[in-house]
Coordinates of all heavy atoms in Angstrom, one line a residue:
M163 N 200.7 162.8 19.0 CA 200.9 161.5 19.5 C 201.0 160.4 18.4 O 200.1 160.2 17.7 CB 199.6 161.1 20.3 CG 199.8 161.3 21.8 SD 198.7 160.3 22.7 CE 197.1 161.0 22.2
K164 N 202.1 159.8 18.4 CA 202.3 158.8 17.4 C 202.1 157.4 18.0 O 202.6 157.2 19.1 CB 203.7 158.8 16.8 CG 203.7 159.6 15.5 CD 205.1 159.5 14.8 CE 205.2 160.5 13.7 NZ 206.6 160.5 13.2
Q165 N 201.4 156.6 17.3 CA 201.2 155.3 17.8 C 201.8 154.3 16.8 O 201.5 154.4 15.6 CB 199.7 155.0 17.9 CG 199.4 154.1 19.1 CD 197.9 153.9 19.4 OE1 197.1 154.5 18.7 NE2 197.6 153.1 20.3
K166 N 202.7 153.5 17.2 CA 203.2 152.5 16.3 C 202.3 151.4 16.0 O 201.6 150.9 17.0 CB 204.5 151.9 16.9 CG 205.7 152.7 16.6 CD 207.0 151.9 17.0 CE 208.2 152.8 16.9 NZ 209.4 152.2 17.5
T167 N 202.1 151.1 14.8 CA 201.3 150.0 14.5 C 202.1 148.7 14.5 O 203.1 148.6 13.9 CB 200.6 150.1 13.1 OG1 201.5 150.6 12.2 CG2 199.4 151.1 13.2
K168 N 201.6 147.8 15.3 CA 202.2 146.5 15.3 C 202.0 145.7 14.0 O 200.9 145.8 13.5 CB 201.6 145.6 16.5 CG 202.1 146.0 17.8 CD 201.6 145.0 18.9 CE 201.5 145.6 20.2 NZ 200.7 144.8 21.1
P169 N 203.0 145.0 13.6 CA 202.7 144.1 12.4 C 201.6 143.1 12.8 O 201.6 142.6 13.9 CB 204.0 143.5 12.1 CG 204.9 143.6 13.3 CD 204.3 144.8 14.1
K170 N 200.8 142.9 11.9 CA 199.7 141.9 12.2 C 200.2 140.5 12.3 O 201.0 140.0 11.5 CB 198.7 141.9 11.0 CG 197.5 142.7 11.2 CD 196.4 142.2 10.3 CE 195.8 143.2 9.5 NZ 195.0 142.6 8.4
V171 N 199.8 139.9 13.4 CA 200.3 138.5 13.6 C 199.4 137.5 13.0 O 199.9 136.5 12.4 CB 200.4 138.2 15.1 CG1 200.9 136.8 15.4 CG2 201.4 139.2 15.8
I172 N 198.1 137.8 13.0 CA 197.2 136.9 12.4 C 196.9 137.4 11.0 O 196.5 138.5 10.8 CB 195.9 136.8 13.2 CG1 196.2 136.3 14.6 CG2 194.9 135.9 12.5 CD1 196.8 134.9 14.7
T173 N 197.0 136.5 10.0 CA 196.7 136.8 8.7 C 195.8 135.7 8.1 O 195.7 134.7 8.8 CB 198.0 137.0 7.8 OG1 197.7 137.5 6.6 CG2 198.8 135.7 7.7
T174 N 195.3 136.0 7.0 CA 194.3 135.0 6.4 C 194.9 134.3 5.2 O 195.5 135.0 4.3 CB 193.0 135.7 6.1 OG1 192.6 136.4 7.2 CG2 192.0 134.7 5.7
D175 N 194.8 133.0 5.1 CA 195.1 132.3 3.9 C 194.1 132.7 2.8 O 192.9 132.5 3.0 CB 194.9 130.8 4.3 CG 195.3 129.9 3.1 OD1 195.0 130.3 1.9 OD2 195.8 128.8 3.3
P176 N 194.6 133.3 1.8 CA 193.7 133.9 0.8 C 192.9 132.7 0.0 O 191.9 133.0 -0.6 CB 194.6 134.7 -0.2 CG 195.9 134.1 0.0 CD 196.0 133.6 1.4
V177 N 193.5 131.6 0.0 CA 192.8 130.5 -0.8 C 191.7 129.8 0.0 O 190.5 129.8 -0.5 CB 193.9 129.4 -1.2 CG1 193.2 128.3 -1.9 CG2 194.9 130.0 -2.0
C178 N 191.9 129.4 1.2 CA 190.9 128.7 2.0 C 190.2 129.5 3.1 O 189.3 129.1 3.7 CB 191.5 127.4 2.6 SG 192.6 127.7 3.9
G179 N 190.8 130.7 3.4 CA 190.2 131.6 4.4 C 190.6 131.3 5.8 O 190.0 131.9 6.7
K180 N 191.5 130.3 6.0 CA 191.9 130.0 7.4 C 192.8 131.1 7.9 O 193.5 131.8 7.2 CB 192.7 128.7 7.3 CG 192.1 127.5 7.9 CD 193.1 126.4 8.0 CE 192.5 125.1 7.5 NZ 193.5 124.1 7.4
Q181 N 192.7 131.3 9.3 CA 193.6 132.2 9.9 C 194.9 131.6 10.2 O 194.9 130.4 10.7 CB 192.9 132.8 11.2 CG 191.7 133.6 10.8 CD 191.3 134.6 11.9 OE1 191.4 134.3 13.0 NE2 191.0 135.8 11.4
I182 N 196.0 132.3 10.0 CA 197.3 131.8 10.1 C 198.1 132.7 11.0 O 198.1 133.9 10.8 CB 198.0 131.6 8.8 CG1 197.2 130.6 7.9 CG2 199.4 131.2 8.9 CD1 197.8 130.6 6.5
N183 N 198.8 132.2 11.9 CA 199.7 133.0 12.8 C 201.1 133.1 12.0 O 201.7 132.1 11.7 CB 199.9 132.2 14.1 CG 200.7 133.1 15.1 OD1 201.6 133.8 14.7 ND2 200.3 133.0 16.3
R184 N 201.5 134.3 11.8 CA 202.7 134.6 11.1 C 203.9 133.9 11.7 O 204.9 133.6 11.1 CB 203.0 136.1 11.0 CG 202.3 136.8 9.9 CD 202.7 138.2 9.8 NE 201.9 138.9 8.9 CZ 202.1 138.9 7.6 NH1 203.2 138.2 7.1 NH2 201.3 139.5 6.7
N185 N 203.9 133.9 13.1 CA 205.0 133.3 13.8 C 205.1 131.8 13.6 O 206.2 131.2 13.8 CB 205.0 133.6 15.3 CG 205.0 135.1 15.5 OD1 205.6 135.9 14.7 ND2 204.2 135.6 16.5
K186 N 204.0 131.2 13.1 CA 204.1 129.8 12.8 C 203.8 129.6 11.4 O 203.0 128.7 11.0 CB 203.0 129.1 13.7 CG 203.2 129.2 15.1 CD 202.1 128.6 15.9 CE 202.1 129.0 17.4 NZ 200.9 128.7 18.0
A187 N 204.3 130.5 10.5 CA 203.9 130.4 9.1 C 204.3 129.1 8.5 O 205.3 128.5 8.8 CB 204.7 131.6 8.4
H188 N 203.4 128.7 7.7 CA 203.6 127.4 7.0 C 204.3 127.6 5.7 O 205.5 127.3 5.5 CB 202.2 126.8 6.8 CG 201.5 126.7 8.1 ND1 201.3 125.6 8.8 CD2 200.9 127.7 8.8 CE1 200.6 125.8 9.9 NE2 200.3 127.1 9.9
I189 N 203.6 128.3 4.8 CA 204.2 128.5 3.4 C 204.0 130.0 3.1 O 202.9 130.6 3.2 CB 203.5 127.7 2.4 CG1 203.7 126.2 2.7 CG2 204.0 128.1 1.0 CD1 202.6 125.3 2.1
A190 N 205.1 130.7 2.8 CA 205.0 132.1 2.4 C 205.3 132.2 0.9 O 206.2 131.5 0.4 CB 206.0 132.9 3.2
I191 N 204.6 133.0 0.3 CA 204.7 133.2 -1.1 C 204.7 134.7 -1.4 O 204.0 135.4 -0.8 CB 203.5 132.5 -1.8 CG1 204.0 131.6 -2.9 CG2 202.5 133.4 -2.3 CD1 202.8 130.8 -3.6
E192 N 205.5 135.1 -2.4 CA 205.5 136.5 -2.7 C 204.9 136.7 -4.1 O 205.2 136.0 -5.0 CB 207.0 137.0 -2.7 CG 207.0 138.6 -2.6 CD 208.4 139.1 -2.9 OE1 209.2 138.9 -2.1 OE2 208.5 139.8 -3.9
Y193 N 204.0 137.6 -4.1 CA 203.3 137.9 -5.4 C 203.1 139.4 -5.5 O 202.6 140.1 -4.6 CB 201.9 137.2 -5.4 CG 201.2 137.5 -6.6 CD1 201.5 136.9 -7.9 CD2 200.0 138.3 -6.6 CE1 200.8 137.2 -9.0 CE2 199.3 138.5 -7.8 CZ 199.7 138.0 -9.0 OH 199.0 138.2 -10.1
K194 N 203.7 140.0 -6.6 CA 203.6 141.4 -6.8 C 204.1 142.2 -5.6 O 203.5 143.2 -5.2 CB 202.2 141.9 -7.2 CG 201.9 141.3 -8.6 CD 200.6 141.9 -9.1 CE 200.3 141.5 -10.5 NZ 199.0 141.9 -11.0
G195 N 205.2 141.8 -5.0 CA 205.8 142.5 -3.9 C 205.1 142.4 -2.5 O 205.6 142.9 -1.6
L196 N 204.1 141.6 -2.5 CA 203.4 141.4 -1.2 C 203.6 139.9 -0.8 O 203.7 139.0 -1.7 CB 201.9 141.7 -1.2 CG 201.6 143.2 -1.4 CD1 200.1 143.3 -1.7 CD2 202.0 144.0 -0.2
D197 N 203.6 139.7 0.5 CA 203.7 138.3 0.9 C 202.4 137.7 1.4 O 201.6 138.4 2.0 CB 204.9 138.1 1.9 CG 204.6 138.8 3.2 OD1 204.3 140.0 3.1 OD2 204.8 138.2 4.3
Y198 N 202.2 136.5 1.1 CA 200.9 135.8 1.4 C 201.3 134.5 2.1 O 202.3 133.9 1.7 CB 200.1 135.5 0.2 CG 199.7 136.8 -0.5 CD1 200.4 137.3 -1.5 CD2 198.5 137.4 -0.1 CE1 200.0 138.5 -2.1 CE2 198.1 138.6 -0.8 CZ 198.9 139.1 -1.8 OH 198.5 140.3 -2.4
L199 N 200.6 134.2 3.2 CA 200.9 133.0 3.9 C 199.8 132.0 3.6 O 198.6 132.3 3.5 CB 200.9 133.2 5.4 CG 202.1 134.2 5.8 CD1 202.0 134.3 7.3 CD2 203.4 133.7 5.4
L200 N 200.2 130.8 3.4 CA 199.3 129.7 3.0 C 199.5 128.5 4.0 O 200.6 128.3 4.5 CB 199.6 129.3 1.6 CG 199.5 130.4 0.6 CD1 200.2 130.1 -0.7 CD2 198.0 130.8 0.3
C201 N 198.4 127.8 4.2 CA 198.4 126.8 5.3 C 199.0 125.5 4.8 O 199.4 124.7 5.6 CB 197.0 126.7 5.8 SG 195.8 125.9 4.7
C202 N 198.9 125.2 3.5 CA 199.3 123.9 3.1 C 199.7 123.9 1.6 O 199.4 124.9 0.9 CB 198.2 122.9 3.3 SG 196.7 123.4 2.4
P203 N 200.4 122.9 1.2 CA 200.9 122.8 -0.2 C 199.8 122.9 -1.2 O 200.0 123.4 -2.3 CB 201.7 121.5 -0.3 CG 202.1 121.2 1.1 CD 201.0 121.8 2.0
Q204 N 198.6 122.4 -0.9 CA 197.5 122.4 -1.8 C 197.1 123.9 -2.1 O 196.8 124.3 -3.2 CB 196.2 121.7 -1.3 CG 196.3 120.2 -1.5 CD 196.8 119.5 -0.2 OE1 197.7 119.9 0.4 NE2 196.1 118.5 0.2
C205 N 197.0 124.7 -1.0 CA 196.7 126.1 -1.1 C 197.8 126.8 -1.9 O 197.5 127.7 -2.7 CB 196.5 126.7 0.2 SG 194.9 126.3 1.0
Q206 N 199.0 126.4 -1.7 CA 200.1 127.0 -2.4 C 200.0 126.8 -3.9 O 200.1 127.7 -4.7 CB 201.4 126.5 -1.9 CG 202.6 127.1 -2.6 CD 203.9 126.5 -2.2 OE1 204.0 125.4 -1.7 NE2 205.0 127.2 -2.5
S207 N 199.7 125.5 -4.3 CA 199.6 125.3 -5.8 C 198.4 125.9 -6.4 O 198.4 126.4 -7.5 CB 199.7 123.8 -6.1 OG 198.6 123.1 -5.4
E208 N 197.3 126.0 -5.6 CA 196.1 126.7 -6.0 C 196.4 128.1 -6.2 O 196.0 128.7 -7.2 CB 195.0 126.4 -4.9 CG 193.6 126.8 -5.3 CD 193.2 126.0 -6.6 OE1 193.5 124.8 -6.8 OE2 192.5 126.7 -7.4
F209 N 197.1 128.7 -5.3 CA 197.4 130.1 -5.4 C 198.3 130.4 -6.6 O 198.1 131.4 -7.4 CB 198.1 130.6 -4.1 CG 198.4 132.1 -4.0 CD1 197.5 132.9 -3.4 CD2 199.6 132.6 -4.6 CE1 197.7 134.3 -3.4 CE2 199.8 134.0 -4.5 CZ 198.9 134.8 -3.9
E210 N 199.3 129.5 -6.8 CA 200.2 129.7 -7.9 C 199.5 129.6 -9.3 O 199.9 130.1 -10.3 CB 201.4 128.7 -7.8 CG 202.3 129.2 -6.8 CD 203.4 128.2 -6.4 OE1 203.2 127.0 -6.7 OE2 204.4 128.6 -5.9
K211 N 198.4 128.8 -9.3 CA 197.7 128.6 -10.6 C 197.0 129.9 -10.9 O 196.9 130.3 -12.1 CB 196.7 127.4 -10.4 CG 197.2 126.1 -10.9 CD 196.1 125.1 -10.9 CE 196.3 124.1 -9.7 NZ 195.1 123.3 -9.4
R212 N 196.3 130.4 -10.0 CA 195.5 131.6 -10.2 C 195.6 132.7 -9.2 O 194.7 133.0 -8.4 CB 194.0 131.2 -10.3 CG 193.6 130.6 -11.7 CD 192.3 130.0 -11.5 NE 192.3 128.9 -10.6 CZ 191.5 127.9 -10.6 NH1 190.5 127.8 -11.5 NH2 191.6 126.9 -9.7
P213 N 196.8 133.3 -9.1 CA 197.0 134.2 -8.0 C 196.1 135.4 -8.1 O 195.6 135.9 -7.0 CB 198.5 134.7 -8.2 CG 198.9 134.3 -9.5 CD 198.0 133.1 -9.9
E214 N 195.8 135.9 -9.3 CA 194.9 137.0 -9.4 C 193.5 136.8 -8.9 O 192.8 137.7 -8.4 CB 194.9 137.5 -10.9 CG 194.2 136.6 -11.9 CD 195.0 135.4 -12.2 OE1 196.2 135.3 -11.9 OE2 194.4 134.4 -12.8
K215 N 193.1 135.6 -8.8 CA 191.8 135.2 -8.3 C 191.8 135.5 -6.7 O 190.7 135.8 -6.2 CB 191.5 133.8 -8.6 CG 190.2 133.3 -8.0 CD 190.0 131.8 -8.3 CE 188.8 131.2 -7.5 NZ 188.7 129.8 -7.7
Y216 N 192.9 135.3 -6.1 CA 193.0 135.3 -4.7 C 193.4 136.6 -4.1 O 193.1 136.9 -2.9 CB 193.8 134.2 -4.1 CG 193.3 132.8 -4.5 CD1 193.9 132.0 -5.5 CD2 192.1 132.4 -4.0 CE1 193.4 130.8 -5.9 CE2 191.6 131.2 -4.3 CZ 192.2 130.4 -5.3 OH 191.7 129.2 -5.6
V217 N 194.2 137.4 -4.8 CA 194.6 138.7 -4.2 C 193.7 139.8 -4.5 O 193.8 140.9 -3.9 CB 196.1 139.0 -4.7 CG1 197.0 137.9 -4.3 CG2 196.1 139.3 -6.2
G218 N 192.8 139.7 -5.4 CA 191.9 140.8 -5.7 C 192.6 141.9 -6.4 O 193.7 141.6 -6.9
N219 N 192.1 143.1 -6.4 CA 192.9 144.2 -7.1 C 193.5 145.1 -6.0 O 193.0 146.0 -5.6 CB 191.9 145.1 -7.9 CG 191.1 144.2 -8.8 OD1 191.6 143.3 -9.4 ND2 189.8 144.6 -9.0
Ligands
ZN209 ZN1 194.7 127.1 3.1

């Protein structure tokens, strides 16, 4: 029995921890091949300053 996994609709802003709906994505950023959604330009610039702080390993 195979079960298809739905893509996650709710994701978390790695900078501020807010939950974000992918369908209403605000800012999407790609880092090391993964995409991250951010709620606002402040979080975006914060992420861009220190991405490694927010993505973990
Ligand atoms: Zn945010």
Side-chain angles (χ1 to χ4, degrees):
M163 261 203 295
K164 266 188 193 171
Q165 216 175 355
K166 271 191 191 169
T167 44
K168 283 187 204 164
K170 262 207 234 163
V171 177
I172 301 296
T173 188
T174 307
D175 181 326
V177 178
C178 70
K180 250 189 223 170
Q181 295 205 316
I182 298 173
N183 188 323
R184 276 185 187 279
N185 299 326
K186 299 175 192 165
H188 308 254
I189 297 155
I191 230 178
E192 199 189 293
Y193 179 72
K194 291 188 177 176
L196 292 170
D197 62 315
Y198 297 92
L199 296 182
L200 302 160
C201 68
C202 61
Q204 280 99 312
C205 286
Q206 181 184 15
S207 59
E208 195 55 39
F209 187 92
E210 283 171 341
K211 267 188 252 165
R212 280 167 295 205
E214 68 285 346
K215 179 181 166 185
Y216 297 110
V217 301
N219 313 318

